[in-house]
Amino acid sequence: IDGKTFITFNSPIPDVSITMYDCLGRKVYENEVIDIEVGDQIELKLDGKIKNGVYIIQINSNKGSAVKRIISL
């Protein structure tokens, strides 16, 4: 992924961690954010660190977790 990749949040969430894995399960990105407010955007600073392929983004907090798949071309 080259350029900018953002995650936008639609509800307040305390103590968020964002982790990204490649298709082999290797961690390629990790970021911990203290508090998220409604409308906050978190930029994933990947800067050409990953190649084309399928990646999984896992977002964890004390409110639960979410997993999303993204494709880099």
Side-chain angles (χ1 to χ4, degrees):
I1 296 175
D2 239 0
K4 297 182 181 189
T5 302
F6 293 92
I7 299 174
T8 303
F9 294 85
N10 58 9
S11 63
I13 306 171
D15 301 322
V16 174
S17 68
I18 302 168
T19 309
M20 185 171 167
Y21 300 93
D22 66 12
C23 62
L24 298 175
R26 296 178 295 204
K27 188 185 302 182
V28 296
Y29 176 85
E30 186 171 38
N31 186 12
E32 292 189 23
V33 182
I34 301 295
D35 290 313
I36 299 291
E37 298 297 329
V38 174
D40 279 358
Q41 286 189 336
I42 303 297
E43 180 181 358
L44 304 183
K45 297 183 180 183
L46 304 171
D47 302 327
K49 295 177 185 172
I50 64 173
K51 299 178 182 177
N52 293 349
V54 177
Y55 294 87
I56 303 297
I57 295 179
Q58 183 175 16
I59 302 168
N60 292 311
S61 78
N62 59 0
K63 287 189 167 186
S65 64
V67 176
K68 298 291 180 184
R69 181 180 69 174
I70 62 170
I71 299 172
S72 171
L73 301 175

